[in-house]
Amino acid sequence: MTSQSANKPRISRPVYAVAVLVLSAVLFVALNTFSNVGLQNARLDLTDRSLFTLSDGTRNIVQGLREPITLKFYYSEDVVTEIPALRAHAQRARDLLQEIAAASGGNVRVEEINPQSFSAQEDQATDAGLTGVPLRSGDKVFLGVVGTNTVDGREAIGFLAPERATYMEYDLARLIFSLATPEKPILGVVSNLPLDTGAGGLLLAMEGRSEPFMIYQELKNSFEVEFLEQDFDRIANEIKVLALVHPRELSPQTLYAIDQFVMRGGRVIAFIDPHSEVSLTAGPAGKPVQGYTEASNLPLLMQSWGVEMNPDEVLADRLRAQRVAAGASQRRQLTDYVLWQRLVSEDFDTDDPITAPLDALHIGSAGVLRPTDDATTTFTPIVTSTQDAMLIDLERVKSAPTPDALLRAFDPAGEFFTVAARISGPVKTAFPEGRPLADDEDEAPIAVRSSAHLLKTIDDANIVVFADSDLFDDRFWVQVQNFLGDRIAVPTADNAAFVVNAVENLMGSNDLISLRGREPADRPFTVVEDIRRDAEARFLAEEQRLQARIEETEARLAELRAELPDGTGMSALVTDVQEAEMQSLQRELAEGRRALRDVQGDLRRDVDALGARVAFINMALVPLLVGGVWLVLALSQRRRRRARAEAAGRAVTHTGAAS
């Protein structure tokens, strides 16, 4: 050791430790101060679908505003101090509003109001249509938004319910969009379903005991919905898109009106169905509505569009089957029902703006679409089945087979079937001979009789056809909750998003489409589902084999009883051979039941084993990895210390030897 290093002042370990602690505290405070000031608006969104980042649709809407929009955010911050979950939800709303305002370039101005109890601001919030949620203390919680534009337009979200937290951006963007475009485009609707009254029809709706379908509510939020009588002979020019929702059989004059609407460039979205279950249960007390039609089809028009649907075929898909109650006589609570499907993103066309952002669609007893041989249009499937699907005869479906019976008879066709398709390209009229004359032709309006007959479309047609109408049924896709008199929709599938997306796309607006796709859908455990599906298939096979054996046993026992004289006791006249046979049959029955229990046990054991592996990965893998890294670093540091000690020892030995 040199004399210079020996004279250098040294810092003791306690002083060094205290200094490190002080510097750390100073650094911690400095970083927090800097982050609060300089990084207030900084966000790092690590979610899979960037759920906490403004979507392009929202940015396009706010950046395209032609006049300023004011959003008043009513939030009773002082009242919810003891409700941390609601505070966090409100903070999320506040952050989102600030991001929208920042992205708008000054077009959106946000004002936050904290209405105090029994204040004038509370009265203003109530007058604006906001909902105050009462607490036990007597105070009310306001958490809503009132938007206004410069022409006295006003839109409000009564309460930003936590149940719709994942739809908050969509709700706010739609509010801004409505203020920016006060005149809604007109959507013409032809339907034989009670869309605007819901199950129960008009009478119950007038008594307040029936509500419109939620999809109809969603359409009304975005469009001016105009119902057309199903025997109309002309479509107004103001209607840009016509929705044919499970229409009953239309007259030739009405079909001609739709045909010429398409020829003039009108857009059509059609929902047809070989077996509409919703039409069978959409009336009072779950009975059919008056004048219902179980099936719908448009063969004449669709032939000219280049698409067809066989009205006698119903789609069954085992891989996308929904789980339904198996029945009280079954050993399982749930089973697959192949006629009801939950189609997922893999079944959608990712290049089409209507289906690209969707996660799931729930449909029931749907039909299948095919292009016609002489089509002049382009047939593009946008919703398809899996290859584990087949077609079932309609009469078989009407006989109401059990889910297990459908599974036993399931024989996959090994091909994809089209459920929905976009039809584009030139279309020739379905009425080459001209307008069909009505019986009361003399009473036809002059505008109808004098209108020009078009033989083909002026521009390429743009038509969407969906071979199902049950997707409109609330029971298929949404849980409707009542919140202080308001209906809150919590979707379990994107049925409404598909319908509204399609209409908006046909209207020519796509900004809100991307927002609906940001709604997170359920992510099923596909491996668990595969295990369950395989086990149930084995269970059903065993059950079928056992059932056949039981029937044989019962038949044989009946034969034995038939051999006995009338009025004699069975036990007295059963021979040893017969008794041995009966005992053998009983043993076989017991073995069969034990086999069924083993299959069910295997199902539970496989799922439990998978769950244990997943739990191990989630709970133990990360600590083990951290521990492993720490151990490697510790060993490495120990080796370095040992190497330095050995080097120092050699140096001392060398110095000593030299001295």
Side-chain angles (χ1 to χ4, degrees):
M1 181 180 297
T2 64
S3 58
Q4 186 177 1
S5 60
N7 296 330
K8 184 177 181 180
R10 300 186 58 183
I11 301 176
S12 63
R13 284 177 176 263
V15 174
Y16 180 79
V18 171
V20 170
L21 289 176
V22 171
L23 289 175
S24 299
V26 172
L27 183 61
F28 176 77
V29 173
L31 283 176
N32 274 279
T33 304
F34 173 75
S35 61
N36 288 333
V37 177
L39 303 177
Q40 187 176 10
N41 296 322
R43 301 288 188 276
L44 180 60
D45 190 351
L46 300 178
T47 56
D48 180 32
R49 303 180 61 181
S50 300
L51 296 177
F52 298 97
T53 302
L54 283 186
S55 70
D56 292 338
T58 302
R59 293 183 182 278
N60 292 337
I61 290 173
V62 298
Q63 291 174 358
L65 293 175
R66 297 180 179 177
E67 61 178 15
I69 300 291
T70 300
L71 301 180
K72 292 185 178 180
F73 177 46
Y74 286 86
Y75 170 40
S76 306
E77 187 171 14
D78 299 337
V79 179
V80 299
T81 53
E82 298 181 357
I83 312 176
L86 193 57
R87 288 183 59 190
H89 177 65
Q91 183 61 41
R92 162 68 179 144
R94 177 186 287 153
D95 293 345
L96 186 56
L97 287 169
Q98 290 175 352
E99 291 186 28
I100 289 174
S104 69
N107 289 326
V108 176
R109 188 178 63 180
V110 177
E111 298 177 4
E112 182 169 338
I113 301 171
N114 183 4
Q116 304 295 321
S117 298
F118 308 105
S119 66
Q121 293 174 332
E122 186 178 270
D123 294 338
Q124 292 173 2
T126 303
D127 294 341
L130 303 189
T131 302
V133 180
L135 301 179
R136 293 182 179 178
S137 60
D139 297 323
K140 287 185 178 180
V141 175
F142 287 90
L143 183 59
V145 176
V146 178
T148 56
N149 56 20
T150 57
V151 292
D152 297 332
R154 179 187 294 268
E155 295 283 343
I157 300 176
F159 194 89
L160 294 167
E163 291 81 0
R164 282 187 65 85
T166 53
Y167 307 91
M168 190 186 300
E169 183 184 354
Y170 170 72
D171 291 340
L172 291 173
R174 190 176 62 183
L175 181 144
I176 297 172
F177 186 80
S178 298
L179 291 170
T181 55
E183 292 187 3
K184 298 178 181 178
I186 300 177
L187 168 68
V189 175
V190 180
S191 177
N192 200 26
L193 297 178
L195 298 178
D196 56 339
T197 61
L202 180 61
L203 181 60
L204 293 185
M206 293 175 64
E207 297 175 355
R209 293 189 290 157
S210 179
E211 297 285 354
F213 284 4
M214 288 305 302
I215 289 183
Y216 173 76
Q217 293 278 37
E218 293 288 335
L219 289 173
K220 281 199 67 178
N221 290 333
S222 301
F223 314 103
E224 190 72 32
V225 179
E226 181 175 319
F227 281 94
L228 303 180
E229 296 295 333
Q230 299 204 32
D231 57 352
F232 58 89
D233 53 12
R234 185 173 179 274
I235 299 176
N237 294 330
E238 290 76 15
I239 295 177
K240 302 302 180 186
V241 175
L242 181 66
L244 304 172
V245 184
H246 188 60
R248 65 188 182 192
E249 188 173 357
L250 303 175
S251 68
Q253 289 72 32
T254 301
L255 292 173
Y256 177 76
I258 299 173
D259 174 84
Q260 291 299 294
F261 174 74
V262 174
M263 298 301 116
R264 296 196 302 269
R267 310 294 175 82
V268 171
I269 177 170
F271 297 89
I272 55 177
D273 200 333
H275 184 66
S276 176
E277 299 183 37
V278 62
S279 70
L280 300 175
T281 59
K287 297 180 179 178
V289 294
Q290 186 177 6
Y292 82 98
T293 51
E294 182 180 328
S296 57
N297 202 353
L298 300 164
L300 181 62
L301 292 178
M302 290 175 55
Q303 181 67 32
S304 70
W305 298 345
V307 59
E308 62 182 2
M309 181 191 74
N310 188 335
D312 299 323
E313 294 176 341
V314 175
L315 175 67
D317 192 325
R318 185 166 54 187
L319 194 59
R320 299 288 185 255
Q322 294 214 54
R323 305 279 287 166
V324 300
S329 60
Q330 304 298 324
R331 295 292 299 269
R332 296 156 293 135
Q333 293 183 343
L334 299 175
T335 187
D336 288 341
Y337 188 45
V338 294
L339 296 180
W340 292 357
Q341 293 106 36
R342 175 182 170 85
L343 304 176
V344 297
S345 56
E346 290 85 349
D347 309 318
F348 306 147
D349 182 2
T350 56
D351 295 328
D352 195 292
I354 297 176
T355 52
L358 302 184
D359 286 311
L361 282 176
H362 289 180
I363 62 174
S365 58
V368 168
L369 302 175
R370 298 183 179 88
T372 58
D373 295 334
D374 57 347
T376 59
T377 56
T378 301
F379 179 91
T380 306
I382 57 175
V383 179
T384 59
S385 71
T386 68
Q387 285 184 301
D388 195 11
M390 64 175 292
L391 298 177
I392 298 180
D393 186 80
L394 178 61
E395 295 303 320
R396 165 80 168 148
V397 174
K398 288 183 178 179
S399 66
T402 65
D404 285 352
L406 290 171
L407 280 174
R408 291 192 188 97
F410 195 86
D411 184 16
E415 63 175 299
F416 297 98
F417 296 103
T418 300
V419 179
R422 184 190 286 273
I423 313 299
S424 57
V427 173
K428 294 181 180 178
T429 178
F431 297 86
E433 304 299 329
R435 184 172 64 87
L437 301 180
D439 295 337
D440 54 350
E441 182 64 22
D442 295 338
E443 300 179 2
I446 296 177
V448 174
R449 287 184 287 176
S450 61
S451 60
H453 174 67
L454 300 177
L455 292 174
K456 61 181 180 180
T457 51
I458 298 174
D459 297 318
D460 286 348
N462 193 352
I463 300 169
V464 174
V465 182
F466 202 110
D468 182 54
S469 64
D470 295 311
L471 82 163
F472 280 85
D473 194 340
D474 290 351
R475 296 169 297 181
F476 269 73
W477 69 275
V478 66
Q479 296 175 353
V480 181
Q481 302 177 4
N482 189 299
F483 183 78
L484 298 178
D486 295 332
R487 299 176 75 199
I488 297 178
V490 182
T492 57
D494 296 325
N495 292 21
F498 174 87
V499 176
V500 182
N501 282 358
V503 176
E504 278 187 346
N505 178 254
L506 295 178
M507 289 279 188
S509 174
N510 292 323
D511 285 335
L512 288 174
I513 292 178
S514 62
L515 293 175
R516 298 190 190 94
R518 292 161 63 83
E519 302 159 2
D522 294 337
R523 295 186 175 183
F525 295 97
T526 55
V527 176
V528 175
E529 287 296 307
D530 291 341
I531 294 174
R532 177 194 56 75
R533 195 174 293 109
D534 292 343
E536 285 196 351
R538 285 184 284 129
F539 175 83
L540 287 174
E542 286 290 332
E543 185 185 53
Q544 187 175 19
R545 187 188 67 80
L546 176 61
Q547 188 63 36
R549 188 56 184 161
I550 289 174
E551 292 176 357
E552 292 177 3
T553 304
E554 291 176 345
R556 180 56 185 157
L557 290 175
E559 291 177 1
L560 293 176
R561 293 191 184 97
E563 294 173 359
L564 300 177
D566 294 337
T568 58
M570 182 175 178
S571 60
L573 297 176
V574 170
T575 65
D576 294 340
V577 175
Q578 291 172 329
E579 183 176 1
E581 184 178 0
M582 293 176 65
Q583 291 178 352
S584 175
L585 292 174
Q586 290 174 351
R587 283 196 298 272
E588 288 189 17
L589 289 177
E591 291 174 357
R593 294 192 181 97
R594 186 167 53 253
L596 286 176
R597 289 195 298 272
D598 291 342
V599 172
Q600 286 190 319
D602 291 342
L603 168 62
R604 296 194 183 98
R605 280 189 289 273
D606 290 344
V607 173
D608 290 345
L610 180 62
R613 290 196 296 272
V614 173
F616 171 78
I617 293 173
N618 286 335
M619 299 175 63
L621 184 60
V622 172
L624 288 176
L625 289 175
V626 173
V629 171
W630 175 85
L631 183 61
V632 170
L633 293 176
L635 292 175
S636 176
Q637 187 177 14
R638 184 176 180 180
R639 281 198 296 270
R640 288 198 298 270
R641 287 177 178 172
R642 181 180 298 173
R644 285 197 298 269
E646 291 176 354
R650 287 195 297 271
V652 171
T653 304
H654 177 73
T655 303
S659 64

Short mmCIF file of all heavy atoms in Angstrom, two decimals, residues 315-323 336-348 359 361-363 384-389 410 416 524 526 529-530 532-533:
data_model
loop_
_atom_site.label_atom_id
_atom_site.label_comp_id
_atom_site.label_asym_id
_atom_site.label_seq_id
_atom_site.Cartn_x
_atom_site.Cartn_y
_atom_site.Cartn_z
N LEU A 315 -77.80 -24.11 -39.59
CA LEU A 315 -76.38 -24.32 -39.26
C LEU A 315 -76.22 -24.88 -37.85
O LEU A 315 -76.86 -24.41 -36.90
CB LEU A 315 -75.63 -22.99 -39.38
CG LEU A 315 -74.15 -23.01 -38.96
CD1 LEU A 315 -73.34 -23.85 -39.92
CD2 LEU A 315 -73.61 -21.59 -38.89
N ALA A 316 -75.33 -25.87 -37.72
CA ALA A 316 -74.93 -26.39 -36.41
C ALA A 316 -73.41 -26.39 -36.36
O ALA A 316 -72.76 -26.83 -37.31
CB ALA A 316 -75.47 -27.80 -36.21
N ASP A 317 -72.86 -25.87 -35.27
CA ASP A 317 -71.40 -25.75 -35.15
C ASP A 317 -71.00 -26.26 -33.77
O ASP A 317 -71.38 -25.66 -32.75
CB ASP A 317 -70.98 -24.29 -35.33
CG ASP A 317 -69.48 -24.14 -35.52
OD1 ASP A 317 -68.72 -24.92 -34.89
OD2 ASP A 317 -69.05 -23.27 -36.30
N ARG A 318 -70.25 -27.34 -33.74
CA ARG A 318 -69.88 -27.93 -32.45
C ARG A 318 -68.81 -27.13 -31.74
O ARG A 318 -68.83 -26.98 -30.51
CB ARG A 318 -69.40 -29.37 -32.66
CG ARG A 318 -69.10 -30.13 -31.38
CD ARG A 318 -68.98 -31.61 -31.64
NE ARG A 318 -67.99 -31.90 -32.69
CZ ARG A 318 -67.78 -33.11 -33.19
NH1 ARG A 318 -68.49 -34.14 -32.74
NH2 ARG A 318 -66.89 -33.31 -34.15
N LEU A 319 -67.86 -26.58 -32.49
CA LEU A 319 -66.76 -25.86 -31.86
C LEU A 319 -67.21 -24.53 -31.26
O LEU A 319 -66.63 -24.05 -30.30
CB LEU A 319 -65.66 -25.61 -32.90
CG LEU A 319 -64.30 -25.16 -32.37
CD1 LEU A 319 -63.74 -26.21 -31.41
CD2 LEU A 319 -63.33 -24.91 -33.51
N ARG A 320 -68.26 -23.93 -31.82
CA ARG A 320 -68.76 -22.64 -31.32
C ARG A 320 -70.07 -22.80 -30.56
O ARG A 320 -70.77 -21.80 -30.33
CB ARG A 320 -68.96 -21.68 -32.49
CG ARG A 320 -67.70 -21.37 -33.26
CD ARG A 320 -66.78 -20.47 -32.48
NE ARG A 320 -65.63 -20.09 -33.27
CZ ARG A 320 -64.42 -20.60 -33.09
NH1 ARG A 320 -64.21 -21.50 -32.14
NH2 ARG A 320 -63.41 -20.20 -33.85
N ALA A 321 -70.43 -24.03 -30.19
CA ALA A 321 -71.71 -24.25 -29.53
C ALA A 321 -71.76 -23.54 -28.19
O ALA A 321 -70.78 -23.51 -27.44
CB ALA A 321 -71.94 -25.74 -29.35
N GLN A 322 -72.91 -22.96 -27.88
CA GLN A 322 -73.10 -22.33 -26.58
C GLN A 322 -73.53 -23.37 -25.56
O GLN A 322 -74.11 -24.40 -25.89
CB GLN A 322 -74.16 -21.24 -26.69
CG GLN A 322 -73.73 -20.08 -27.57
CD GLN A 322 -74.27 -18.76 -27.08
OE1 GLN A 322 -74.09 -18.39 -25.92
NE2 GLN A 322 -74.94 -18.04 -27.95
N ARG A 323 -73.25 -23.08 -24.31
CA ARG A 323 -73.60 -23.99 -23.22
C ARG A 323 -75.00 -23.67 -22.71
O ARG A 323 -75.32 -22.51 -22.43
CB ARG A 323 -72.60 -23.84 -22.09
CG ARG A 323 -71.15 -24.03 -22.52
CD ARG A 323 -70.77 -25.48 -22.63
NE ARG A 323 -70.62 -26.09 -21.32
CZ ARG A 323 -70.54 -27.39 -21.13
NH1 ARG A 323 -70.64 -28.21 -22.17
NH2 ARG A 323 -70.37 -27.88 -19.92
N ASP A 336 -73.37 -28.64 -24.54
CA ASP A 336 -73.26 -27.85 -25.76
C ASP A 336 -74.56 -27.94 -26.56
O ASP A 336 -75.12 -29.02 -26.72
CB ASP A 336 -72.10 -28.36 -26.61
CG ASP A 336 -70.76 -28.00 -26.01
OD1 ASP A 336 -70.73 -27.09 -25.17
OD2 ASP A 336 -69.75 -28.62 -26.38
N TYR A 337 -74.99 -26.79 -27.08
CA TYR A 337 -76.16 -26.75 -27.95
C TYR A 337 -75.67 -26.23 -29.30
O TYR A 337 -75.40 -25.03 -29.46
CB TYR A 337 -77.22 -25.83 -27.35
CG TYR A 337 -78.54 -25.87 -28.09
CD1 TYR A 337 -79.11 -27.08 -28.48
CD2 TYR A 337 -79.23 -24.71 -28.39
CE1 TYR A 337 -80.32 -27.12 -29.14
CE2 TYR A 337 -80.46 -24.74 -29.05
CZ TYR A 337 -80.99 -25.95 -29.42
OH TYR A 337 -82.20 -26.01 -30.08
N VAL A 338 -75.55 -27.11 -30.25
CA VAL A 338 -74.87 -26.78 -31.50
C VAL A 338 -75.66 -25.82 -32.38
O VAL A 338 -75.11 -25.26 -33.33
CB VAL A 338 -74.54 -28.07 -32.29
CG1 VAL A 338 -73.52 -28.91 -31.54
CG2 VAL A 338 -75.81 -28.87 -32.57
N LEU A 339 -76.95 -25.63 -32.09
CA LEU A 339 -77.75 -24.70 -32.91
C LEU A 339 -77.56 -23.25 -32.49
O LEU A 339 -77.88 -22.34 -33.24
CB LEU A 339 -79.24 -25.07 -32.82
CG LEU A 339 -79.64 -26.43 -33.38
CD1 LEU A 339 -81.13 -26.64 -33.22
CD2 LEU A 339 -79.25 -26.55 -34.85
N TRP A 340 -77.08 -23.03 -31.28
CA TRP A 340 -76.76 -21.67 -30.82
C TRP A 340 -75.24 -21.56 -30.77
O TRP A 340 -74.56 -22.39 -30.15
CB TRP A 340 -77.32 -21.41 -29.43
CG TRP A 340 -78.80 -21.33 -29.37
CD1 TRP A 340 -79.69 -21.42 -30.41
CD2 TRP A 340 -79.60 -21.14 -28.19
NE1 TRP A 340 -80.97 -21.30 -29.96
CE2 TRP A 340 -80.96 -21.12 -28.60
CE3 TRP A 340 -79.31 -20.98 -26.85
CZ2 TRP A 340 -82.00 -20.96 -27.71
CZ3 TRP A 340 -80.36 -20.81 -25.95
CH2 TRP A 340 -81.69 -20.79 -26.38
N GLN A 341 -74.74 -20.52 -31.41
CA GLN A 341 -73.29 -20.40 -31.49
C GLN A 341 -72.81 -19.05 -30.95
O GLN A 341 -73.51 -18.05 -31.04
CB GLN A 341 -72.81 -20.53 -32.94
CG GLN A 341 -73.02 -21.91 -33.54
CD GLN A 341 -74.16 -21.93 -34.52
OE1 GLN A 341 -74.36 -20.96 -35.24
NE2 GLN A 341 -74.90 -23.03 -34.56
N ARG A 342 -71.63 -19.12 -30.40
CA ARG A 342 -70.89 -17.90 -30.04
C ARG A 342 -69.71 -17.80 -31.00
O ARG A 342 -68.67 -18.45 -30.80
CB ARG A 342 -70.41 -17.95 -28.60
CG ARG A 342 -69.53 -16.75 -28.21
CD ARG A 342 -69.03 -16.86 -26.78
NE ARG A 342 -68.01 -15.87 -26.49
CZ ARG A 342 -68.27 -14.62 -26.10
NH1 ARG A 342 -69.52 -14.24 -25.95
NH2 ARG A 342 -67.30 -13.77 -25.86
N LEU A 343 -69.89 -17.04 -32.07
CA LEU A 343 -68.83 -16.87 -33.05
C LEU A 343 -67.82 -15.86 -32.52
O LEU A 343 -68.20 -14.84 -31.93
CB LEU A 343 -69.42 -16.40 -34.38
CG LEU A 343 -70.51 -17.31 -34.97
CD1 LEU A 343 -71.09 -16.70 -36.24
CD2 LEU A 343 -69.97 -18.70 -35.24
N VAL A 344 -66.55 -16.13 -32.75
CA VAL A 344 -65.49 -15.29 -32.20
C VAL A 344 -64.68 -14.67 -33.33
O VAL A 344 -64.98 -14.87 -34.51
CB VAL A 344 -64.59 -16.11 -31.26
CG1 VAL A 344 -65.38 -16.61 -30.05
CG2 VAL A 344 -63.97 -17.30 -31.99
N SER A 345 -63.67 -13.91 -32.94
CA SER A 345 -62.96 -13.09 -33.92
C SER A 345 -62.35 -13.90 -35.05
O SER A 345 -62.21 -13.41 -36.17
CB SER A 345 -61.86 -12.28 -33.20
OG SER A 345 -60.99 -13.15 -32.50
N GLU A 346 -61.98 -15.15 -34.77
CA GLU A 346 -61.43 -15.99 -35.84
C GLU A 346 -62.44 -16.26 -36.95
O GLU A 346 -62.08 -16.65 -38.05
CB GLU A 346 -60.94 -17.33 -35.28
CG GLU A 346 -59.70 -17.24 -34.42
CD GLU A 346 -60.04 -16.91 -32.96
OE1 GLU A 346 -61.20 -16.56 -32.69
OE2 GLU A 346 -59.13 -17.00 -32.12
N ASP A 347 -63.72 -16.04 -36.67
CA ASP A 347 -64.77 -16.33 -37.66
C ASP A 347 -65.16 -15.08 -38.45
O ASP A 347 -66.07 -15.15 -39.27
CB ASP A 347 -66.01 -16.87 -36.94
CG ASP A 347 -65.67 -18.02 -36.01
OD1 ASP A 347 -64.86 -18.87 -36.42
OD2 ASP A 347 -66.20 -18.07 -34.88
N PHE A 348 -64.49 -13.96 -38.19
CA PHE A 348 -64.88 -12.71 -38.85
C PHE A 348 -63.81 -12.30 -39.87
O PHE A 348 -62.62 -12.59 -39.70
CB PHE A 348 -65.04 -11.58 -37.82
CG PHE A 348 -65.98 -11.92 -36.70
CD1 PHE A 348 -65.77 -11.43 -35.42
CD2 PHE A 348 -67.08 -12.74 -36.91
CE1 PHE A 348 -66.64 -11.73 -34.38
CE2 PHE A 348 -67.95 -13.06 -35.89
CZ PHE A 348 -67.72 -12.56 -34.62
N ASP A 359 -65.48 -8.91 -31.40
CA ASP A 359 -64.91 -10.04 -30.66
C ASP A 359 -65.83 -11.25 -30.67
O ASP A 359 -65.35 -12.38 -30.68
CB ASP A 359 -64.66 -9.64 -29.21
CG ASP A 359 -63.45 -8.74 -29.08
OD1 ASP A 359 -62.41 -9.10 -29.66
OD2 ASP A 359 -63.55 -7.71 -28.44
N LEU A 361 -70.09 -12.79 -31.59
CA LEU A 361 -71.48 -12.66 -32.01
C LEU A 361 -72.24 -13.88 -31.51
O LEU A 361 -71.75 -15.01 -31.63
CB LEU A 361 -71.61 -12.57 -33.53
CG LEU A 361 -71.30 -11.25 -34.22
CD1 LEU A 361 -71.40 -11.41 -35.74
CD2 LEU A 361 -72.23 -10.15 -33.75
N HIS A 362 -73.43 -13.65 -30.97
CA HIS A 362 -74.27 -14.76 -30.53
C HIS A 362 -75.43 -14.91 -31.52
O HIS A 362 -76.19 -13.96 -31.72
CB HIS A 362 -74.82 -14.49 -29.13
CG HIS A 362 -73.78 -14.59 -28.06
ND1 HIS A 362 -74.05 -14.38 -26.72
CD2 HIS A 362 -72.46 -14.89 -28.13
CE1 HIS A 362 -72.95 -14.55 -26.02
NE2 HIS A 362 -71.96 -14.85 -26.85
N ILE A 363 -75.56 -16.07 -32.10
CA ILE A 363 -76.62 -16.32 -33.07
C ILE A 363 -77.31 -17.63 -32.71
O ILE A 363 -76.78 -18.44 -31.94
CB ILE A 363 -76.08 -16.37 -34.51
CG1 ILE A 363 -75.07 -17.52 -34.68
CG2 ILE A 363 -75.43 -15.06 -34.90
CD1 ILE A 363 -74.60 -17.71 -36.10
N THR A 384 -68.34 -16.39 -40.74
CA THR A 384 -68.41 -17.79 -41.16
C THR A 384 -68.40 -18.70 -39.94
O THR A 384 -68.10 -18.28 -38.82
CB THR A 384 -67.21 -18.16 -42.06
OG1 THR A 384 -66.00 -17.93 -41.33
CG2 THR A 384 -67.19 -17.32 -43.32
N SER A 385 -68.72 -19.96 -40.20
CA SER A 385 -68.65 -20.97 -39.15
C SER A 385 -67.24 -21.55 -39.11
O SER A 385 -66.36 -21.14 -39.88
CB SER A 385 -69.66 -22.07 -39.44
OG SER A 385 -69.23 -22.82 -40.56
N THR A 386 -67.04 -22.50 -38.22
CA THR A 386 -65.80 -23.26 -38.24
C THR A 386 -65.98 -24.46 -39.17
O THR A 386 -67.07 -24.70 -39.71
CB THR A 386 -65.43 -23.75 -36.84
OG1 THR A 386 -66.38 -24.74 -36.43
CG2 THR A 386 -65.46 -22.59 -35.84
N GLN A 387 -64.91 -25.23 -39.33
CA GLN A 387 -65.03 -26.44 -40.14
C GLN A 387 -65.71 -27.58 -39.37
O GLN A 387 -66.12 -28.57 -39.97
CB GLN A 387 -63.64 -26.91 -40.60
CG GLN A 387 -63.06 -26.06 -41.72
CD GLN A 387 -61.74 -26.60 -42.23
OE1 GLN A 387 -60.79 -26.72 -41.48
NE2 GLN A 387 -61.69 -26.92 -43.51
N ASP A 388 -65.82 -27.41 -38.06
CA ASP A 388 -66.50 -28.42 -37.25
C ASP A 388 -68.00 -28.10 -37.22
O ASP A 388 -68.59 -27.93 -36.15
CB ASP A 388 -65.92 -28.42 -35.84
CG ASP A 388 -66.30 -29.67 -35.06
OD1 ASP A 388 -66.84 -30.61 -35.68
OD2 ASP A 388 -66.07 -29.71 -33.84
N ALA A 389 -68.58 -28.01 -38.41
CA ALA A 389 -69.98 -27.60 -38.53
C ALA A 389 -70.68 -28.48 -39.54
O ALA A 389 -70.04 -29.19 -40.34
CB ALA A 389 -70.06 -26.13 -38.95
N PHE A 410 -74.14 -35.62 -34.48
CA PHE A 410 -73.35 -34.60 -35.17
C PHE A 410 -72.32 -35.26 -36.09
O PHE A 410 -71.57 -36.15 -35.69
CB PHE A 410 -72.63 -33.71 -34.14
CG PHE A 410 -72.09 -32.45 -34.72
CD1 PHE A 410 -72.90 -31.33 -34.83
CD2 PHE A 410 -70.79 -32.38 -35.18
CE1 PHE A 410 -72.42 -30.16 -35.37
CE2 PHE A 410 -70.30 -31.21 -35.73
CZ PHE A 410 -71.11 -30.10 -35.82
N PHE A 416 -66.24 -24.60 -44.23
CA PHE A 416 -66.73 -23.36 -43.62
C PHE A 416 -68.06 -22.98 -44.28
O PHE A 416 -68.20 -23.07 -45.51
CB PHE A 416 -65.72 -22.23 -43.81
CG PHE A 416 -64.40 -22.49 -43.13
CD1 PHE A 416 -63.31 -22.97 -43.85
CD2 PHE A 416 -64.25 -22.24 -41.78
CE1 PHE A 416 -62.09 -23.20 -43.23
CE2 PHE A 416 -63.02 -22.46 -41.15
CZ PHE A 416 -61.95 -22.94 -41.88
N PRO A 524 -62.32 -16.85 -23.38
CA PRO A 524 -62.53 -18.19 -22.83
C PRO A 524 -61.21 -18.94 -22.71
O PRO A 524 -60.25 -18.69 -23.44
CB PRO A 524 -63.45 -18.84 -23.87
CG PRO A 524 -63.18 -18.10 -25.13
CD PRO A 524 -62.87 -16.69 -24.73
N THR A 526 -59.54 -21.62 -23.78
CA THR A 526 -59.74 -22.52 -24.91
C THR A 526 -59.22 -23.93 -24.61
O THR A 526 -59.82 -24.91 -25.05
CB THR A 526 -59.04 -21.96 -26.16
OG1 THR A 526 -57.64 -21.73 -25.85
CG2 THR A 526 -59.67 -20.66 -26.59
N GLU A 529 -61.71 -25.56 -22.53
CA GLU A 529 -62.88 -25.89 -23.35
C GLU A 529 -62.62 -27.13 -24.18
O GLU A 529 -63.49 -27.98 -24.36
CB GLU A 529 -63.22 -24.71 -24.26
CG GLU A 529 -63.83 -23.53 -23.53
CD GLU A 529 -65.18 -23.90 -22.92
OE1 GLU A 529 -66.04 -24.41 -23.65
OE2 GLU A 529 -65.34 -23.70 -21.71
N ASP A 530 -61.40 -27.25 -24.72
CA ASP A 530 -61.07 -28.45 -25.51
C ASP A 530 -61.13 -29.70 -24.64
O ASP A 530 -61.64 -30.75 -25.06
CB ASP A 530 -59.68 -28.29 -26.13
CG ASP A 530 -59.67 -27.22 -27.22
OD1 ASP A 530 -60.77 -26.88 -27.72
OD2 ASP A 530 -58.58 -26.74 -27.54
N ARG A 532 -62.83 -30.10 -21.87
CA ARG A 532 -64.22 -30.37 -21.54
C ARG A 532 -64.97 -30.99 -22.72
O ARG A 532 -65.73 -31.95 -22.56
CB ARG A 532 -64.91 -29.06 -21.13
CG ARG A 532 -66.39 -29.23 -20.83
CD ARG A 532 -67.09 -27.89 -20.75
NE ARG A 532 -66.92 -27.11 -21.95
CZ ARG A 532 -67.56 -27.36 -23.10
NH1 ARG A 532 -68.38 -28.39 -23.18
NH2 ARG A 532 -67.37 -26.61 -24.15
N ARG A 533 -64.73 -30.45 -23.92
CA ARG A 533 -65.45 -30.94 -25.09
C ARG A 533 -65.09 -32.40 -25.37
O ARG A 533 -65.97 -33.23 -25.66
CB ARG A 533 -65.11 -30.05 -26.29
CG ARG A 533 -66.04 -30.24 -27.46
CD ARG A 533 -65.75 -29.24 -28.56
NE ARG A 533 -66.07 -27.90 -28.16
CZ ARG A 533 -65.17 -26.96 -27.91
NH1 ARG A 533 -63.90 -27.22 -28.02
NH2 ARG A 533 -65.54 -25.76 -27.54
#
